[in-house]
Amino acid sequence: MNNIKKFLNTRLGFMTMLIVFLWIKSIIAYYVDFSLGIADVIQHLILVINPIATSVFLLGIALYINKSKVSYIVMGVIYFIESILLYGNILYYREFTDFLSFNTITGVGKVSKGLGSSATNLIAPHDFLFWIDLIIILVLFLTHFIKMDPRPFRKLNAFAVSMVGLMLFSLNLMLAECNRPQLLGRTFDKAYIVKYLGLNAYLGYDSIKTAQNSQVRSTAVGTDMDNVLQYQSDNYAAPNPKYFGKAKGKNIIIIHLESFQQFLIGMKVNGQEVTPFLNSLYNDKNTMSYDNFYHEVGQGKTSDAETMLESGLFGLPEGSFFSSLGTDNTFQAAPAILGQKEGYTSAVFHGNIGTFWNRNDVYKNMGYNYFFDSSYFKQTNDSSLEYGLKDKLLMSESVKYLEQMQQPFYAKFITVTNHYPFPLPDEDNDGFVRPDTNNDAVNNYFATAHYLDSAVQEFFQYLKDSGIYDNSMVVLYGDHYGLSNSQNTALAPLLGYNTDDWNNFDNTQLQRVPFMIHMKGLKGGINHTYGGEIDVLPTLLHLAGVNSKGYIEVGTDLLSKAHDPVIAFRNKNFVTPSYTVIKGNDGDYVVYKNKTGEQMDLNTDPALKKKVERWQKQVNKKLQISDTVNNKNLLRFYTPTGFTPVDPKNYSYQNQINQLINTRSALGLKSTSIYSKNNNQSTTSMYRTDAPEIGTDRSPIDSWDYVKNYNTKD
């Protein structure tokens, strides 16, 4: 005890005690108050060590101060601020399932308004653990168990402490990058940075990104929109009269097929169809299917796909637009456009946490009325995989909310089961036999795609049984590749290719993803038009009877006679209906003929070389316009005629069940929800799924009359 007391009566000893207290409080918050999705032993280890490094570095600042009293005061102030930030994050997370950002802290009035009178209701019984340390420290000083050490602390020793903090952080970052590559580059989720690097590192990272964004945006002026508007005018593709308004007044249901590539359509493995239902839908007379449709995502992957789908603009060259800029940018997005022009109610259904890719903030900026994340669904130990609720459970559990929405609605379902590394428990496998390559990810990919196919089939059957199908247009698209280029050589034999002959042309062809528009009475067929995800928004708007002219979108309507068929990839490679163009390692063009895969020699074909150069300028311009609009937030300077800019403060994803009930009740006989149209009877019993977690005999948990009592959000 004497040795402990002696150590605590030194500056370094006192600092060590504060670090231990901060570490204990952080660990309690991590495991009790935050949902950080700890998946393995390494993540547990990282979580345990990540509060230490920044605490050592920050508290070590006080060691550089010569005067003993001032040094202790500075150390105490830093410790108190750290405690306040920790507890502030706890309260904020309990209310918003999110962490305090730089903008949130600097706008403290908004935080107080956001929490409102509910702040006291957020206090939990165990919260005394976050403050009892201050009482302990006070008692230790009052009883003279701890006294200020009057001796000066050598600058060299203070520097050594700082270096220890930096070394610990470097070790922490190295472990984090090993477990989650490109952690800071792609920034999937705020919770990921907190989980891997801690709250201090997250706030520092967010502050740097905020400063960078502010610097870029501070240079923007309204006249920067001139070039953008000129580009939009020059490249506008007028709607095809044959299809314009074909889906006017119809519900629009988007099914986001996670990591789903085009080669899966029609494919058999071991004599079994991998996706039998999607195959039938692809060839259905009421489906317009595209076989030359490419994803155009960058590092943001799924969030990039959503950026293009909703806003008609690309993701960023690096990182995720949702994570970097989406929480602050002004949008002219599908939910707001359809809501204002055609009276649509909008919602997203997703079985992951709302903070992933910052969706809970970005969706408000887009004008989504509702966002049902994982907290709105029944959770059990076996209901979720790494990226959220299994697809069959997501879709079956979503209908209790979908049936309450006023029609027409714009609803997006984001599936996750077919996500790398494609794990699928045996109980979810209906007998499908995986291929037997030397790559487990390739083998498992077919099994999870098969599961996704079955989930979509069950959902379609519900749409038909409930009557939603007859008044809906369903859009299905693959968001990005599932298997990377490094895995394609293991995939090649299954596709009938010789691995030794596989090259970059083949890799590029595998960037095709399905795009299907299905609607009763739609003249379908397989369309060979070349297009990409950037073209989806103007296509859907025109089908819904909304002219895209005036909105800033760099894609063009796939059905328009003026559609631009040059597909731009985020790395500036591109595909035309005749050629695939890839920049080689030496910077020269490598051009392949699409029909044969033959590599072309531009030196002997100057006419083709000129075409390639012209296409490249076209691609560069398209990407540059999109990046300028996004990086400078230029849409704040421009409002299309008849459009009202979205105010995110008008949207809340708390208490959404009450919002649905109150809206339906207020409308009374004018309610257009499926629930109302079904004589105020739920349609959930019409949903049939073979998901082992539910079974064909659905439990009372799935009925609307019970859900409002079940859901903890209300």
Side-chain angles (χ1 to χ4, degrees):
M1 177 62 72
N2 287 333
N3 289 334
I4 294 176
K5 182 177 181 180
K6 185 177 180 180
F7 179 63
L8 292 178
N9 277 276
T10 65
R11 285 199 221 181
L12 189 61
F14 180 65
M15 189 188 85
T16 301
M17 181 183 71
L18 297 184
I19 291 170
V20 170
F21 282 152
L22 277 177
W23 176 78
I24 292 172
K25 294 195 292 186
S26 297
I27 295 303
I28 293 172
Y30 286 169
Y31 283 99
V32 177
D33 293 284
F34 302 150
S35 297
L36 298 177
I38 312 303
D40 54 45
V41 174
I42 298 298
Q43 290 183 13
H44 280 287
L45 174 63
I46 293 171
L47 198 72
V48 168
I49 68 174
N50 82 32
I52 300 174
T54 53
S55 296
V56 170
F57 185 82
L58 291 172
L59 290 170
I61 294 172
L63 299 178
Y64 288 92
I65 301 173
N66 286 327
K67 292 184 178 180
S68 173
K69 186 176 181 179
V70 176
S71 178
Y72 272 84
I73 290 174
V74 169
M75 206 179 298
V77 169
I78 293 173
Y79 181 78
F80 185 70
I81 292 173
E82 285 286 281
S83 299
I84 289 288
L85 283 174
L86 175 62
Y87 192 63
N89 269 289
I90 290 168
L91 293 180
Y92 194 77
Y93 192 90
R94 287 173 184 168
E95 178 68 12
F96 300 108
T97 320
D98 201 357
F99 299 99
L100 290 169
S101 66
F102 176 82
N103 286 332
T104 307
I105 293 172
T106 54
V108 65
K110 295 179 181 179
V111 178
S112 302
K113 184 178 179 181
L115 292 173
S117 60
S118 65
T120 54
N121 297 326
L122 300 174
I123 298 174
H126 69 273
D127 284 4
F128 76 94
L129 295 173
F130 299 111
W131 299 107
I132 195 172
D133 55 308
L134 297 179
I135 298 174
I136 293 173
I137 293 169
L138 182 62
V139 170
L140 289 175
F141 271 107
L142 291 175
T143 59
H144 301 291
F145 188 88
I146 293 180
K147 299 177 182 178
M148 291 186 185
D149 184 358
R151 295 172 297 175
F153 199 85
R154 295 178 62 193
K155 293 290 192 300
L156 185 61
N157 290 341
F159 181 74
V161 170
S162 298
M163 289 302 100
V164 168
L166 289 175
M167 289 173 61
L168 288 173
F169 185 78
S170 298
L171 174 63
N172 187 174
L173 183 60
M174 181 187 71
L175 291 172
E177 281 292 330
C178 289
N179 193 260
R180 171 57 66 186
Q182 295 181 299
L183 172 66
L184 298 179
R186 292 183 61 197
T187 321
F188 301 89
D189 181 6
K190 298 173 185 177
Y192 271 50
I193 299 181
V194 173
K195 176 169 70 172
Y196 284 106
L197 300 178
L199 284 167
N200 287 328
Y202 159 67
L203 184 58
Y205 176 82
D206 181 71
S207 300
I208 292 171
K209 297 296 289 185
T210 300
Q212 290 174 339
N213 295 339
S214 297
Q215 194 278 328
V216 171
R217 293 170 187 217
S218 66
T219 65
V221 293
T223 53
D224 289 340
M225 276 298 298
D226 292 347
N227 288 336
V228 176
L229 291 169
Q230 188 61 54
Y231 178 88
Q232 192 274 339
S233 177
D234 292 343
N235 293 274
Y236 167 70
N240 187 331
K242 181 180 177 181
Y243 293 100
F244 185 76
K246 192 76 174 178
K248 189 177 180 65
K250 300 277 188 179
N251 299 317
I252 300 175
I253 301 173
I254 309 289
I255 300 180
H256 171 113
L257 302 172
E258 171 64 41
S259 305
F260 199 98
Q261 293 172 250
Q262 176 69 20
F263 71 79
L264 290 167
I265 299 295
M267 188 172 182
K268 290 186 177 182
V269 171
N270 297 319
Q272 314 155 98
E273 283 188 278
V274 180
T275 57
F277 177 71
L278 289 174
N279 294 345
S280 65
L281 195 66
Y282 185 80
N283 294 287
D284 191 284
K285 66 179 182 179
N286 294 313
T287 303
M288 189 177 296
S289 304
Y290 287 80
D291 60 358
N292 289 309
F293 183 86
Y294 291 76
H295 78 78
E296 297 170 280
V297 307
Q299 291 179 344
K301 298 185 77 172
T302 297
S303 67
D304 282 0
E306 289 192 78
T307 299
M308 288 183 276
L309 169 73
E310 307 291 12
S311 73
L313 296 170
F314 286 98
L316 300 177
E318 296 178 353
S320 162
F321 170 75
F322 266 38
S323 298
S324 301
L325 303 172
T327 58
D328 300 316
N329 265 33
T330 299
F331 285 87
Q332 296 166 13
I337 295 171
L338 290 170
Q340 294 180 27
K341 293 293 184 181
E342 297 294 326
Y344 276 76
T345 306
S346 53
V348 180
F349 301 90
H350 183 41
N352 203 342
I353 58 176
T355 57
F356 199 89
W357 291 129
N358 287 344
R359 286 186 173 102
N360 56 336
D361 290 325
V362 179
Y363 287 160
K364 292 175 184 175
N365 289 342
M366 288 181 169
Y368 265 111
N369 301 115
Y370 302 100
F371 175 31
F372 298 98
D373 66 358
S374 59
S375 63
Y376 278 90
F377 300 103
K378 182 181 178 183
Q379 300 287 334
T380 61
N381 292 334
D382 58 353
S383 64
S384 296
L385 300 174
E386 182 177 357
Y387 287 92
L389 200 67
K390 295 176 186 176
D391 297 341
K392 290 185 178 181
L393 302 178
L394 168 72
M395 291 184 167
S396 61
E397 293 288 330
S398 293
V399 300
K400 57 180 171 274
Y401 305 123
L402 185 70
E403 68 176 1
Q404 296 295 320
M405 291 175 58
Q406 297 302 307
Q407 300 182 89
F409 51 69
Y410 175 76
K412 179 169 64 177
F413 292 81
I414 303 178
T415 64
V416 299
T417 303
N418 195 45
H419 195 295
Y420 182 84
F422 317 112
L424 190 70
D426 291 338
E427 61 267 24
D428 291 305
N429 194 331
D430 64 358
F432 180 82
V433 180
R434 295 170 170 83
D436 185 24
T437 73
N438 59 4
N439 189 300
D440 288 338
V442 172
N443 299 336
N444 293 336
Y445 180 62
F446 291 95
T448 52
H450 184 74
Y451 174 91
L452 171 57
D453 177 80
S454 180
V456 174
Q457 180 178 20
E458 292 175 352
F459 181 68
F460 258 78
Q461 191 58 53
Y462 163 76
L463 294 180
K464 292 180 178 180
D465 292 342
S466 63
I468 298 176
Y469 174 85
D470 291 336
N471 189 43
S472 299
M473 176 174 71
V474 184
V475 178
L476 305 95
Y477 79 107
D479 64 335
H480 55 75
Y481 64 86
L483 298 174
S484 64
N485 289 349
S486 63
Q487 294 158 333
N488 286 343
T489 51
L491 171 68
L494 297 175
L495 302 178
Y497 288 87
N498 186 327
T499 301
D500 295 334
D501 297 331
W502 195 267
N503 60 22
N504 284 332
F505 171 76
D506 301 307
N507 285 330
T508 304
Q509 300 315 300
L510 284 190
Q511 306 317 305
R512 285 184 173 93
V513 292
F515 181 59
M516 294 178 261
I517 304 173
H518 180 86
M519 184 175 70
K520 187 176 180 181
L522 179 67
K523 185 179 180 182
I526 298 176
N527 193 314
H528 304 302
T529 298
Y530 275 69
E533 289 172 345
I534 200 66
D535 303 314
V536 172
L537 180 57
T539 305
L540 296 187
L541 289 179
H542 289 172
L543 283 166
V546 178
N547 199 316
S548 65
K549 188 172 187 178
Y551 296 102
I552 304 304
E553 301 161 1
V554 296
T556 53
D557 181 356
L558 290 164
L559 297 167
S560 172
K561 295 178 181 179
H563 167 65
D564 174 14
V566 178
I567 300 160
F569 295 119
R570 194 55 268 197
N571 60 6
K572 298 184 180 180
N573 292 340
F574 59 93
V575 173
T576 76
S578 300
Y579 300 98
T580 294
V581 181
I582 302 169
K583 275 290 183 71
N585 294 330
D586 56 3
D588 291 336
Y589 296 111
V590 181
V591 181
Y592 299 92
K593 196 170 185 177
N594 288 344
K595 286 185 178 180
T596 62
E598 172 192 2
Q599 185 172 335
M600 309 300 291
D601 186 353
L602 295 186
N603 293 325
T604 61
D605 193 342
L608 177 58
K609 185 176 181 179
K610 285 185 178 180
K611 287 183 180 179
V612 169
E613 290 172 345
R614 186 180 73 249
W615 289 326
Q616 187 70 73
K617 288 181 180 179
Q618 182 179 336
V619 166
N620 292 348
K621 182 67 173 178
K622 181 182 289 189
L623 293 171
Q624 182 262 326
I625 288 292
S626 177
D627 291 343
T628 299
V629 172
N630 284 333
N631 287 322
K632 293 188 174 183
N633 191 21
L634 292 184
L635 294 186
R636 60 188 156 138
F637 299 123
Y638 170 71
T639 302
T641 303
F643 182 78
T644 302
V646 173
D647 184 350
K649 294 193 293 294
N650 293 334
Y651 300 87
S652 172
Y653 300 141
Q654 308 296 317
N655 302 315
Q656 294 182 103
I657 294 174
N658 287 338
Q659 292 179 40
L660 288 169
I661 293 174
N662 293 339
T663 299
R664 177 169 54 79
S665 298
L667 289 171
L669 295 176
K670 294 182 180 180
S671 172
T672 59
S673 70
I674 296 299
Y675 184 91
S676 299
K677 297 297 183 181
N678 196 43
N679 297 317
N680 293 334
Q681 297 294 317
S682 176
T683 63
T684 56
S685 61
M686 299 178 184
Y687 205 110
R688 289 290 176 263
T689 176
D690 63 5
E693 297 85 355
I694 297 178
T696 54
D697 295 326
R698 299 183 60 77
S699 65
I701 197 71
D702 301 306
S703 70
W704 176 254
D705 294 333
Y706 188 82
V707 71
K708 58 180 177 289
N709 297 319
Y710 153 69
N711 199 286
T712 56
K713 280 223 174 236
D714 300 302

PDB file of all heavy atoms in Angstrom, residues 425-446:
ATOM      1  N   PRO A 425     -25.320 -20.043 -42.316  1.00  0.00           N
ATOM      2  CA  PRO A 425     -25.486 -21.204 -41.440  1.00  0.00           C
ATOM      3  C   PRO A 425     -26.168 -22.357 -42.171  1.00  0.00           C
ATOM      4  O   PRO A 425     -26.968 -22.146 -43.090  1.00  0.00           O
ATOM      5  CB  PRO A 425     -26.366 -20.658 -40.315  1.00  0.00           C
ATOM      6  CG  PRO A 425     -26.159 -19.177 -40.337  1.00  0.00           C
ATOM      7  CD  PRO A 425     -25.951 -18.833 -41.785  1.00  0.00           C
ATOM      8  N   ASP A 426     -25.862 -23.562 -41.749  1.00  0.00           N
ATOM      9  CA  ASP A 426     -26.417 -24.750 -42.397  1.00  0.00           C
ATOM     10  C   ASP A 426     -27.935 -24.760 -42.380  1.00  0.00           C
ATOM     11  O   ASP A 426     -28.577 -25.243 -43.326  1.00  0.00           O
ATOM     12  CB  ASP A 426     -25.881 -26.011 -41.717  1.00  0.00           C
ATOM     13  CG  ASP A 426     -24.394 -26.224 -41.984  1.00  0.00           C
ATOM     14  OD1 ASP A 426     -23.896 -25.673 -42.982  1.00  0.00           O
ATOM     15  OD2 ASP A 426     -23.747 -26.928 -41.189  1.00  0.00           O
ATOM     16  N   GLU A 427     -28.534 -24.217 -41.301  1.00  0.00           N
ATOM     17  CA  GLU A 427     -29.998 -24.263 -41.208  1.00  0.00           C
ATOM     18  C   GLU A 427     -30.676 -23.377 -42.245  1.00  0.00           C
ATOM     19  O   GLU A 427     -31.879 -23.528 -42.506  1.00  0.00           O
ATOM     20  CB  GLU A 427     -30.466 -23.857 -39.807  1.00  0.00           C
ATOM     21  CG  GLU A 427     -30.083 -22.455 -39.381  1.00  0.00           C
ATOM     22  CD  GLU A 427     -28.775 -22.411 -38.597  1.00  0.00           C
ATOM     23  OE1 GLU A 427     -27.955 -23.342 -38.757  1.00  0.00           O
ATOM     24  OE2 GLU A 427     -28.582 -21.437 -37.842  1.00  0.00           O
ATOM     25  N   ASP A 428     -29.926 -22.443 -42.842  1.00  0.00           N
ATOM     26  CA  ASP A 428     -30.488 -21.585 -43.884  1.00  0.00           C
ATOM     27  C   ASP A 428     -30.255 -22.136 -45.282  1.00  0.00           C
ATOM     28  O   ASP A 428     -30.669 -21.525 -46.265  1.00  0.00           O
ATOM     29  CB  ASP A 428     -29.880 -20.180 -43.791  1.00  0.00           C
ATOM     30  CG  ASP A 428     -30.317 -19.436 -42.549  1.00  0.00           C
ATOM     31  OD1 ASP A 428     -31.531 -19.304 -42.341  1.00  0.00           O
ATOM     32  OD2 ASP A 428     -29.442 -18.995 -41.784  1.00  0.00           O
ATOM     33  N   ASN A 429     -29.581 -23.249 -45.361  1.00  0.00           N
ATOM     34  CA  ASN A 429     -29.291 -23.862 -46.660  1.00  0.00           C
ATOM     35  C   ASN A 429     -30.375 -24.886 -46.968  1.00  0.00           C
ATOM     36  O   ASN A 429     -30.581 -25.834 -46.223  1.00  0.00           O
ATOM     37  CB  ASN A 429     -27.912 -24.533 -46.610  1.00  0.00           C
ATOM     38  CG  ASN A 429     -27.400 -24.891 -47.986  1.00  0.00           C
ATOM     39  OD1 ASN A 429     -28.183 -25.145 -48.897  1.00  0.00           O
ATOM     40  ND2 ASN A 429     -26.095 -24.924 -48.142  1.00  0.00           N
ATOM     41  N   ASP A 430     -31.085 -24.696 -48.073  1.00  0.00           N
ATOM     42  CA  ASP A 430     -32.215 -25.577 -48.408  1.00  0.00           C
ATOM     43  C   ASP A 430     -31.790 -26.800 -49.227  1.00  0.00           C
ATOM     44  O   ASP A 430     -32.597 -27.385 -49.946  1.00  0.00           O
ATOM     45  CB  ASP A 430     -33.299 -24.798 -49.153  1.00  0.00           C
ATOM     46  CG  ASP A 430     -32.814 -24.273 -50.511  1.00  0.00           C
ATOM     47  OD1 ASP A 430     -31.632 -24.490 -50.845  1.00  0.00           O
ATOM     48  OD2 ASP A 430     -33.623 -23.658 -51.224  1.00  0.00           O
ATOM     49  N   GLY A 431     -30.537 -27.179 -49.101  1.00  0.00           N
ATOM     50  CA  GLY A 431     -30.050 -28.328 -49.861  1.00  0.00           C
ATOM     51  C   GLY A 431     -29.190 -27.948 -51.038  1.00  0.00           C
ATOM     52  O   GLY A 431     -28.689 -28.829 -51.750  1.00  0.00           O
ATOM     53  N   PHE A 432     -29.017 -26.651 -51.244  1.00  0.00           N
ATOM     54  CA  PHE A 432     -28.177 -26.199 -52.351  1.00  0.00           C
ATOM     55  C   PHE A 432     -26.741 -26.671 -52.127  1.00  0.00           C
ATOM     56  O   PHE A 432     -26.172 -26.488 -51.054  1.00  0.00           O
ATOM     57  CB  PHE A 432     -28.216 -24.672 -52.451  1.00  0.00           C
ATOM     58  CG  PHE A 432     -27.385 -24.112 -53.570  1.00  0.00           C
ATOM     59  CD1 PHE A 432     -27.880 -24.084 -54.863  1.00  0.00           C
ATOM     60  CD2 PHE A 432     -26.108 -23.629 -53.328  1.00  0.00           C
ATOM     61  CE1 PHE A 432     -27.113 -23.558 -55.898  1.00  0.00           C
ATOM     62  CE2 PHE A 432     -25.333 -23.111 -54.356  1.00  0.00           C
ATOM     63  CZ  PHE A 432     -25.848 -23.080 -55.646  1.00  0.00           C
ATOM     64  N   VAL A 433     -26.158 -27.262 -53.154  1.00  0.00           N
ATOM     65  CA  VAL A 433     -24.797 -27.791 -53.056  1.00  0.00           C
ATOM     66  C   VAL A 433     -23.823 -26.774 -53.640  1.00  0.00           C
ATOM     67  O   VAL A 433     -23.892 -26.425 -54.816  1.00  0.00           O
ATOM     68  CB  VAL A 433     -24.667 -29.141 -53.797  1.00  0.00           C
ATOM     69  CG1 VAL A 433     -23.240 -29.668 -53.677  1.00  0.00           C
ATOM     70  CG2 VAL A 433     -25.662 -30.146 -53.241  1.00  0.00           C
ATOM     71  N   ARG A 434     -22.923 -26.299 -52.812  1.00  0.00           N
ATOM     72  CA  ARG A 434     -21.935 -25.312 -53.242  1.00  0.00           C
ATOM     73  C   ARG A 434     -20.951 -25.919 -54.239  1.00  0.00           C
ATOM     74  O   ARG A 434     -20.694 -27.126 -54.215  1.00  0.00           O
ATOM     75  CB  ARG A 434     -21.154 -24.784 -52.041  1.00  0.00           C
ATOM     76  CG  ARG A 434     -21.966 -23.998 -51.017  1.00  0.00           C
ATOM     77  CD  ARG A 434     -21.111 -23.773 -49.777  1.00  0.00           C
ATOM     78  NE  ARG A 434     -21.687 -22.832 -48.829  1.00  0.00           N
ATOM     79  CZ  ARG A 434     -22.600 -23.134 -47.911  1.00  0.00           C
ATOM     80  NH1 ARG A 434     -23.048 -24.388 -47.832  1.00  0.00           N
ATOM     81  NH2 ARG A 434     -23.067 -22.219 -47.084  1.00  0.00           N
ATOM     82  N   PRO A 435     -20.363 -25.086 -55.084  1.00  0.00           N
ATOM     83  CA  PRO A 435     -19.272 -25.589 -55.940  1.00  0.00           C
ATOM     84  C   PRO A 435     -18.065 -25.919 -55.075  1.00  0.00           C
ATOM     85  O   PRO A 435     -17.994 -25.533 -53.900  1.00  0.00           O
ATOM     86  CB  PRO A 435     -18.990 -24.416 -56.888  1.00  0.00           C
ATOM     87  CG  PRO A 435     -19.473 -23.209 -56.153  1.00  0.00           C
ATOM     88  CD  PRO A 435     -20.656 -23.660 -55.347  1.00  0.00           C
ATOM     89  N   ASP A 436     -17.117 -26.590 -55.651  1.00  0.00           N
ATOM     90  CA  ASP A 436     -15.957 -27.047 -54.882  1.00  0.00           C
ATOM     91  C   ASP A 436     -14.681 -26.503 -55.516  1.00  0.00           C
ATOM     92  O   ASP A 436     -13.868 -27.250 -56.056  1.00  0.00           O
ATOM     93  CB  ASP A 436     -15.934 -28.578 -54.820  1.00  0.00           C
ATOM     94  CG  ASP A 436     -14.822 -29.103 -53.921  1.00  0.00           C
ATOM     95  OD1 ASP A 436     -14.386 -28.341 -53.033  1.00  0.00           O
ATOM     96  OD2 ASP A 436     -14.390 -30.252 -54.108  1.00  0.00           O
ATOM     97  N   THR A 437     -14.501 -25.187 -55.451  1.00  0.00           N
ATOM     98  CA  THR A 437     -13.260 -24.593 -55.931  1.00  0.00           C
ATOM     99  C   THR A 437     -12.272 -24.537 -54.766  1.00  0.00           C
ATOM    100  O   THR A 437     -12.596 -24.918 -53.635  1.00  0.00           O
ATOM    101  CB  THR A 437     -13.499 -23.169 -56.475  1.00  0.00           C
ATOM    102  OG1 THR A 437     -13.745 -22.277 -55.365  1.00  0.00           O
ATOM    103  CG2 THR A 437     -14.692 -23.136 -57.413  1.00  0.00           C
ATOM    104  N   ASN A 438     -11.093 -24.004 -55.021  1.00  0.00           N
ATOM    105  CA  ASN A 438     -10.095 -23.881 -53.959  1.00  0.00           C
ATOM    106  C   ASN A 438     -10.240 -22.580 -53.178  1.00  0.00           C
ATOM    107  O   ASN A 438      -9.362 -22.214 -52.398  1.00  0.00           O
ATOM    108  CB  ASN A 438      -8.678 -23.976 -54.535  1.00  0.00           C
ATOM    109  CG  ASN A 438      -8.397 -22.890 -55.567  1.00  0.00           C
ATOM    110  OD1 ASN A 438      -9.242 -22.013 -55.796  1.00  0.00           O
ATOM    111  ND2 ASN A 438      -7.231 -22.936 -56.184  1.00  0.00           N
ATOM    112  N   ASN A 439     -11.367 -21.875 -53.396  1.00  0.00           N
ATOM    113  CA  ASN A 439     -11.599 -20.597 -52.736  1.00  0.00           C
ATOM    114  C   ASN A 439     -12.943 -20.642 -52.014  1.00  0.00           C
ATOM    115  O   ASN A 439     -13.997 -20.735 -52.653  1.00  0.00           O
ATOM    116  CB  ASN A 439     -11.579 -19.465 -53.779  1.00  0.00           C
ATOM    117  CG  ASN A 439     -11.608 -18.088 -53.149  1.00  0.00           C
ATOM    118  OD1 ASN A 439     -12.527 -17.740 -52.432  1.00  0.00           O
ATOM    119  ND2 ASN A 439     -10.587 -17.286 -53.433  1.00  0.00           N
ATOM    120  N   ASP A 440     -12.918 -20.566 -50.688  1.00  0.00           N
ATOM    121  CA  ASP A 440     -14.151 -20.677 -49.905  1.00  0.00           C
ATOM    122  C   ASP A 440     -15.121 -19.536 -50.188  1.00  0.00           C
ATOM    123  O   ASP A 440     -16.343 -19.739 -50.193  1.00  0.00           O
ATOM    124  CB  ASP A 440     -13.825 -20.706 -48.406  1.00  0.00           C
ATOM    125  CG  ASP A 440     -13.190 -22.013 -47.971  1.00  0.00           C
ATOM    126  OD1 ASP A 440     -13.372 -23.020 -48.687  1.00  0.00           O
ATOM    127  OD2 ASP A 440     -12.519 -22.029 -46.921  1.00  0.00           O
ATOM    128  N   ALA A 441     -14.585 -18.323 -50.409  1.00  0.00           N
ATOM    129  CA  ALA A 441     -15.464 -17.189 -50.683  1.00  0.00           C
ATOM    130  C   ALA A 441     -16.257 -17.422 -51.967  1.00  0.00           C
ATOM    131  O   ALA A 441     -17.456 -17.131 -52.035  1.00  0.00           O
ATOM    132  CB  ALA A 441     -14.651 -15.897 -50.787  1.00  0.00           C
ATOM    133  N   VAL A 442     -15.597 -17.963 -52.988  1.00  0.00           N
ATOM    134  CA  VAL A 442     -16.282 -18.263 -54.251  1.00  0.00           C
ATOM    135  C   VAL A 442     -17.361 -19.316 -54.020  1.00  0.00           C
ATOM    136  O   VAL A 442     -18.500 -19.175 -54.486  1.00  0.00           O
ATOM    137  CB  VAL A 442     -15.275 -18.740 -55.312  1.00  0.00           C
ATOM    138  CG1 VAL A 442     -16.008 -19.233 -56.560  1.00  0.00           C
ATOM    139  CG2 VAL A 442     -14.315 -17.622 -55.676  1.00  0.00           C
ATOM    140  N   ASN A 443     -17.043 -20.362 -53.291  1.00  0.00           N
ATOM    141  CA  ASN A 443     -18.004 -21.434 -53.025  1.00  0.00           C
ATOM    142  C   ASN A 443     -19.220 -20.902 -52.265  1.00  0.00           C
ATOM    143  O   ASN A 443     -20.370 -21.201 -52.614  1.00  0.00           O
ATOM    144  CB  ASN A 443     -17.339 -22.550 -52.224  1.00  0.00           C
ATOM    145  CG  ASN A 443     -16.169 -23.170 -52.958  1.00  0.00           C
ATOM    146  OD1 ASN A 443     -16.095 -23.119 -54.191  1.00  0.00           O
ATOM    147  ND2 ASN A 443     -15.238 -23.748 -52.218  1.00  0.00           N
ATOM    148  N   ASN A 444     -18.962 -20.109 -51.231  1.00  0.00           N
ATOM    149  CA  ASN A 444     -20.046 -19.615 -50.383  1.00  0.00           C
ATOM    150  C   ASN A 444     -20.888 -18.554 -51.082  1.00  0.00           C
ATOM    151  O   ASN A 444     -22.066 -18.373 -50.761  1.00  0.00           O
ATOM    152  CB  ASN A 444     -19.467 -19.036 -49.085  1.00  0.00           C
ATOM    153  CG  ASN A 444     -18.829 -20.096 -48.214  1.00  0.00           C
ATOM    154  OD1 ASN A 444     -19.170 -21.275 -48.310  1.00  0.00           O
ATOM    155  ND2 ASN A 444     -17.895 -19.695 -47.368  1.00  0.00           N
ATOM    156  N   TYR A 445     -20.285 -17.841 -52.033  1.00  0.00           N
ATOM    157  CA  TYR A 445     -20.999 -16.784 -52.754  1.00  0.00           C
ATOM    158  C   TYR A 445     -22.253 -17.319 -53.442  1.00  0.00           C
ATOM    159  O   TYR A 445     -23.309 -16.673 -53.437  1.00  0.00           O
ATOM    160  CB  TYR A 445     -20.055 -16.149 -53.775  1.00  0.00           C
ATOM    161  CG  TYR A 445     -20.659 -15.038 -54.598  1.00  0.00           C
ATOM    162  CD1 TYR A 445     -21.131 -13.873 -54.005  1.00  0.00           C
ATOM    163  CD2 TYR A 445     -20.733 -15.139 -55.990  1.00  0.00           C
ATOM    164  CE1 TYR A 445     -21.658 -12.840 -54.767  1.00  0.00           C
ATOM    165  CE2 TYR A 445     -21.260 -14.111 -56.761  1.00  0.00           C
ATOM    166  CZ  TYR A 445     -21.724 -12.961 -56.143  1.00  0.00           C
ATOM    167  OH  TYR A 445     -22.257 -11.937 -56.894  1.00  0.00           O
ATOM    168  N   PHE A 446     -22.156 -18.496 -53.997  1.00  0.00           N
ATOM    169  CA  PHE A 446     -23.307 -19.069 -54.695  1.00  0.00           C
ATOM    170  C   PHE A 446     -24.410 -19.467 -53.722  1.00  0.00           C
ATOM    171  O   PHE A 446     -25.598 -19.362 -54.038  1.00  0.00           O
ATOM    172  CB  PHE A 446     -22.853 -20.267 -55.534  1.00  0.00           C
ATOM    173  CG  PHE A 446     -22.006 -19.889 -56.705  1.00  0.00           C
ATOM    174  CD1 PHE A 446     -20.627 -19.903 -56.624  1.00  0.00           C
ATOM    175  CD2 PHE A 446     -22.583 -19.492 -57.901  1.00  0.00           C
ATOM    176  CE1 PHE A 446     -19.838 -19.533 -57.698  1.00  0.00           C
ATOM    177  CE2 PHE A 446     -21.804 -19.116 -58.988  1.00  0.00           C
ATOM    178  CZ  PHE A 446     -20.426 -19.139 -58.891  1.00  0.00           C
TER     179      PHE A 446
END
